[in-house]
Amino acid sequence: MLPAWELEQPEELVLRMEILRNGDEVFAGKTSIASMRRPLVSLVDYLFRSLSFPTGVALLTGTGIVPPDAFTLAAGDVVSIGSDPIGTLENPVVVV
C-alpha cells in the first residue's frame, strides 16, 4: 500500500497484470488510472460523502484488466498485479 499523499500524479499510474503458467506468460495486460471512468478525486469524494474514516480507509478500484472470455485460470498459475512505485502483489492459483 502507498498513501495517496505520497503520489504526486496518481492519474499517471500504470497498472499491469501478468499470468504465468509453468513459468510461461499466458496473459499480460496493462491499463492506466487515467482510463478509469471516474477520476480518483471523484471516487474519494463519494467515499467520504456520508462516512468518515478517522483511522484511514483503503479504496479498492479493481485492475481494469480482464483476460478474454475463453481464458481460465489453472492450478499452479501465478497472477501478478503491480504498479510502480507501489509494488507487485503475486498470488498462486490453488484448488480449494
Side-chain angles (χ1 to χ4, degrees):
M1 289 191 139
L2 183 69
W5 57 85
E6 290 188 16
L7 294 172
E8 290 183 27
Q9 301 292 328
E11 62 278 353
E12 292 180 7
L13 285 176
V14 173
L15 303 172
R16 63 187 183 283
M17 181 170 73
E18 176 184 61
I19 301 172
L20 300 178
R21 182 171 291 153
N22 299 318
D24 296 322
E25 181 182 277
V26 292
F27 177 80
K30 65 181 180 176
T31 190
S32 71
I33 296 294
S35 67
M36 290 173 49
R37 182 169 294 246
R38 292 181 187 257
L40 284 177
V41 172
S42 175
L43 293 173
V44 171
D45 178 53
Y46 276 96
L47 181 63
F48 282 90
R49 244 180 219 182
S50 59
L51 297 172
S52 63
F53 304 94
T55 58
V57 65
L59 174 63
L60 306 177
T61 62
T63 63
I65 306 166
V66 181
D69 288 343
F71 183 84
T72 302
L73 289 170
D77 287 356
V78 177
V79 180
S80 298
I81 299 172
S83 180
D84 296 327
I86 297 171
T88 302
L89 174 66
E90 187 174 286
N91 286 303
V93 176
V94 297
V95 177
V96 177

